[in-house]
Amino acid sequence: MTQYVLRRLIHSVFIIWGCATLVFFLLRLIPGDPVIQMLGPEYTPEAAEALRRKLGLDEPLQVQYVRWFGNILRGDLGGSIASGETVTGAIATGLPKTLSLAALSFLIAIVIAVPAGVAAALKRNTIVDYAASVVAFVGVSMPSFWFGIILILVFAVWLGWLPATGYAELTDDGFVEWLRRLILPSLAIGAGYAAILMRFVRAGLLEVLGSDYVRTARAKGARERTVIVRHALRNALIPVVTIAGIQLALLLSGAVVVETVFSIRGIGRILVGAIFDRDYPMVQGVILLVAVIFVLANLVVDIVYTFLDPRIHYG
Amino acid sequence: MARVVSAPAVEGVSPVGQAGVGPPADLPVGSPSGGSRFWRRLRRERKAFVGLVLIALLAVVAVIGPAVAPHHPDADDFGILEPPSLAHPMGTDSFGRDLFSRMIIGTRVSFSVGIVAAAAALVVGGLLGLLAGYYGRWVDSLISRAIDLLWAFPVIILAVGLVAVFGAGFRNVTLAIAVAYLDDFARIVRAETLGLREQDFTLAARALGATDRRIMGRHILPNMVAPLIVQATFAVGLGILSESTLTFLGLGVNPATPTWGLALNEGRDFVRQAWWISVFPGLAIVLTVMSLNLFGDGLRDALDVKGVAERA
């Protein structure tokens, strides 16, 4: 077990190193001279030379590469070309928003998916099951950003219940305002995620309900409710944890896109803005960050998984 | 991003379980060809059948679109932001263009990007997976590590990054989506190859002196057509979703091309004045992607494929 965790840890370190290398070459792959691209209409030979020196592009490639890693390890991702702030600073202001969004989306997805999946499994092949299945199909096939626009249309424009855009700080504006502004974007992301999870809850529960230990629990006279919650659901949720981890990407990429819809300046909005500004250090920083978060999240899920199900042994 | 997730089969609908038991009673005497047996199964798989019919309809729209669209997609001599009416079933946009005509033309763009990206991912990813699975050792290590790397980036982030570097436009967007989904195919083909490599028929072919190329082409690849078709179906749908996402972000195909994602980008800006610009393009995307998902899902049941990805 310790050995397994250790091996996964080392693997993750290598993957992150690979990601950083890939992101390093991202800037160097830009067709033509990246400095000319970045300066755009403000190009003068002197400005180009200055920028090239600032980005260290005038040095040999291996020197740049070593410096890139040294900087990353010190938490220095360089400075934004467009705004002058540091990339780490911009990320530090954006990341809490994105993480709040992802966390609330996750919560919403669980709250929808588990009861819906349980209902579909218990009422299998009834109208409840079919309805859940149809809704799940639509949910999986729907772009999160479109659902976000529809939510704005219904809850902000037509009903006027919730604000259409913006973000409120939890610390400054209080929980209610924070939630009011975050609920629609979180629902936009959480819906698709819930659709996927729901199908696995249903399938997992159906499988477990036919097992010996559920029959035993019933035979010894446990109440149906106890059988479902204590015996069946607990085991049915184990594969769901894996799926939840694997589909974390959905939350992250969902956040990136939905932030644009709701004008929330999280890391997704920062990334898209940086691409339009040709602010390559910022683009590099955000992409690297997302990859690292994703790799680490998957690592955590894998490790949690081994604790959840002691039957699983890794050689 | 990933996601090799064996999605749960929906039981109760699938006739596949009986396939191994013996031919169902209604089969004609004699051995039906693989093709006709496949169609028979597919027709019984309601989901796949509905999906296929819808895809066929949308494909017809994509092909003959310009001929049936009531107006030229760029004709802008109508009223601005007119709500849906008989003359303009989906209303008009902020330039006074007929949204219905633009949606019809957009079908072609979506399908083109989705199909080309899925095909490219299938060919390149499949080849990498085949080489990794067949040759093993350092070839496998090298390819698998590269695939692991691609896997470390969520699809949309990877696609956005690639478009950021190489620029937007039809070719680059398609390419970026293909690269982002390539690892799924590589993983499936690698896993299948690992199993098939040790099968008796492969070993026999090798004992008879068949070349590696012949073994891969004649004995291994034909045996994994089913999971690849299923995966490719999902990939087309995901490609269409990704294209609309990139276009919505302003990083998609040419901004002059009428596409669903572009219309939604505008819809977002006019959400208070013109709900129709937001609603209809989204419905078009949902309908298309859902048809592909239905078909892929049903196909997976019909072909009894396990372990095919469904992902974000």
Side-chain angles (χ1 to χ4, degrees):
Chain A
M1 171 93 177
T2 321
Q3 214 186 1
Y4 168 76
V5 172
L6 211 64
R7 218 175 46 220
R8 281 291 283 115
L9 208 65
I10 294 170
H11 182 246
S12 301
V13 169
F14 271 100
I15 289 291
I16 289 174
W17 167 69
C19 290
T21 305
L22 213 63
V23 171
F24 169 81
F25 282 107
L26 202 69
L27 180 64
R28 277 92 192 154
L29 276 174
I30 295 166
D33 188 345
V35 173
I36 296 175
Q37 293 273 331
M38 280 182 257
L39 287 171
E42 286 157 42
Y43 176 85
T44 59
E46 297 78 41
E49 198 46 51
L51 185 57
R52 201 168 283 134
R53 200 165 320 117
K54 186 182 163 205
L55 294 174
L57 289 173
D58 52 347
E59 310 227 35
L61 202 62
Q62 63 272 26
V63 176
Q64 294 181 31
Y65 186 69
V66 171
R67 178 168 301 154
W68 161 248
F69 269 95
N71 287 345
I72 290 178
L73 290 178
R74 280 185 285 114
D76 176 7
L77 292 168
S80 159
I81 294 168
S83 66
E85 60 186 330
T86 63
V87 172
T88 345
I91 285 174
T93 60
L95 193 58
K97 296 172 189 165
T98 304
L99 292 183
S100 308
L101 190 55
L104 193 59
S105 309
F106 182 73
L107 199 70
I108 288 177
I110 297 287
V111 168
I112 298 173
V114 174
V118 170
L122 295 182
K123 308 259 180 217
R124 178 177 164 192
N125 293 339
T126 65
I127 186 85
V128 177
D129 188 15
Y130 294 137
S133 168
V134 169
V135 172
F137 252 109
V138 176
V140 173
S141 312
M142 183 173 65
S144 56
F145 67 91
W146 177 66
F147 192 46
I149 298 175
I150 295 301
L151 288 173
I152 291 181
L153 191 63
V154 174
F155 290 99
V157 177
W158 288 346
L159 297 173
W161 290 352
L162 292 162
T165 54
Y167 180 83
E169 292 293 339
L170 188 57
T171 43
D172 300 347
D173 309 288
F175 178 74
V176 175
E177 194 53 31
W178 174 82
L179 191 66
R180 262 168 57 80
R181 293 197 179 261
L182 219 49
I183 191 91
L184 291 186
S186 301
L187 202 57
I189 302 166
Y193 195 66
I196 294 174
L197 290 186
M198 192 281 267
R199 295 173 69 186
F200 281 91
V201 172
R202 177 186 178 278
L205 194 57
L206 280 178
E207 199 180 314
V208 169
L209 281 176
S211 68
D212 287 342
Y213 58 83
V214 167
R215 204 180 48 197
T216 309
R218 282 192 178 131
K220 72 178 187 188
R223 279 185 311 150
E224 189 59 21
R225 204 187 155 78
T226 319
V227 174
I228 301 293
V229 175
R230 284 266 292 281
H231 297 272
L233 195 56
R234 226 182 118 178
N235 284 294
L237 288 183
I238 292 172
V240 176
V241 171
T242 326
I243 305 309
I246 286 171
Q247 299 288 351
L248 268 180
L250 198 66
L251 287 185
L252 272 179
S253 25
V256 164
V257 184
V258 167
E259 280 169 11
T260 298
V261 178
F262 288 88
S263 309
I264 295 171
R265 200 167 182 273
I267 56 168
R269 191 81 206 102
I270 293 177
L271 174 64
V272 175
I275 291 174
F276 284 114
D277 292 343
R278 301 199 176 282
D279 189 349
Y280 291 112
M282 191 69 96
V283 173
Q284 283 183 305
V286 175
I287 290 183
L288 181 62
L289 176 82
V290 172
V292 169
I293 293 177
F294 186 54
V295 170
L296 291 181
N298 273 301
L299 176 70
V300 170
V301 169
D302 274 0
I303 294 173
V304 167
Y305 195 59
T306 62
F307 281 107
L308 263 183
D309 192 348
R311 287 172 302 188
I312 300 170
H313 286 287
Y314 296 90
Chain B
M1 72 188 153
R3 355 143 265 201
V4 177
V5 168
S6 62
V10 175
E11 73 308 304
V13 197
S14 164
V16 177
Q18 303 122 30
V21 182
D26 60 335
L27 273 186
V29 187
S31 107
S33 71
S36 83
R37 200 169 56 222
F38 169 71
W39 283 113
R40 202 175 302 276
R41 277 190 193 178
L42 194 64
R43 269 213 312 276
R44 284 212 213 135
E45 202 64 50
R46 255 181 310 166
K47 272 186 300 180
F49 194 69
V50 172
L52 189 63
V53 169
L54 287 172
I55 295 167
L57 284 175
L58 287 163
V60 169
V61 172
V63 173
I64 63 165
V68 293
H71 304 282
H72 188 276
D74 295 328
D76 54 2
D77 37 8
F78 311 111
I80 286 169
L81 298 181
E82 272 182 31
S85 61
L86 277 179
H88 303 289
M90 295 185 182
T92 63
D93 66 7
S94 67
F95 294 94
R97 298 176 300 201
D98 179 52
L99 200 59
F100 182 55
S101 304
R102 290 181 72 77
M103 290 303 99
I104 289 178
I105 306 296
T107 316
R108 182 179 283 197
V109 180
S110 289
F111 268 82
S112 309
V113 174
I115 290 171
V116 175
L122 169 77
V123 171
V124 178
L127 199 64
L128 287 174
L130 186 65
L131 293 175
Y134 188 78
Y135 288 109
R137 294 144 72 87
W138 66 269
V139 181
D140 186 21
S141 303
L142 191 74
I143 293 175
S144 291
R145 291 299 84 76
I147 295 302
D148 278 354
L149 252 185
L150 278 184
W151 180 88
F153 296 91
V155 172
I156 284 297
I157 301 296
L158 186 59
V160 163
L162 290 172
V163 171
V165 170
F166 296 106
F170 181 88
R171 196 195 56 193
N172 287 353
V173 165
T174 311
L175 213 67
I177 295 171
V179 170
Y181 286 112
L182 181 156
D183 50 335
D184 282 348
F185 288 100
R187 276 165 188 257
I188 291 172
V189 172
R190 178 179 173 274
E192 293 278 330
T193 308
L194 281 177
L196 291 167
R197 195 179 59 174
E198 305 303 331
Q199 294 283 320
D200 288 343
F201 57 81
T202 317
L203 297 177
R206 186 171 303 139
L208 286 171
T211 59
D212 285 347
R213 254 183 73 175
R214 190 179 162 83
I215 295 174
M216 284 190 262
R218 293 293 291 270
H219 301 279
I220 293 184
L221 273 183
N223 277 302
M224 55 174 89
V225 169
L228 285 182
I229 292 177
V230 174
Q231 178 62 29
T233 308
F234 287 131
V236 174
L238 292 165
I240 290 175
L241 271 184
S242 304
E243 182 273 323
S244 69
T245 306
L246 288 175
T247 311
F248 173 74
L249 293 174
L251 301 167
V253 299
N254 184 347
T257 317
T259 62
W260 299 338
L262 192 69
L264 283 176
N265 186 327
E266 204 194 67
R268 163 74 187 80
D269 294 337
F270 289 94
V271 69
R272 285 177 194 283
Q273 298 94 324
W275 57 266
W276 50 94
I277 310 181
S278 295
V279 171
F280 293 118
L283 287 179
I285 297 173
V286 174
L287 180 69
T288 309
V289 177
M290 200 170 73
S291 310
L292 287 158
N293 281 343
L294 276 173
F295 182 62
D297 220 59
L299 206 58
R300 178 169 50 195
D301 295 347
L303 297 171
D304 201 16
V305 174
K306 293 189 181 69
V308 164
E310 183 167 330
R311 69 174 198 177

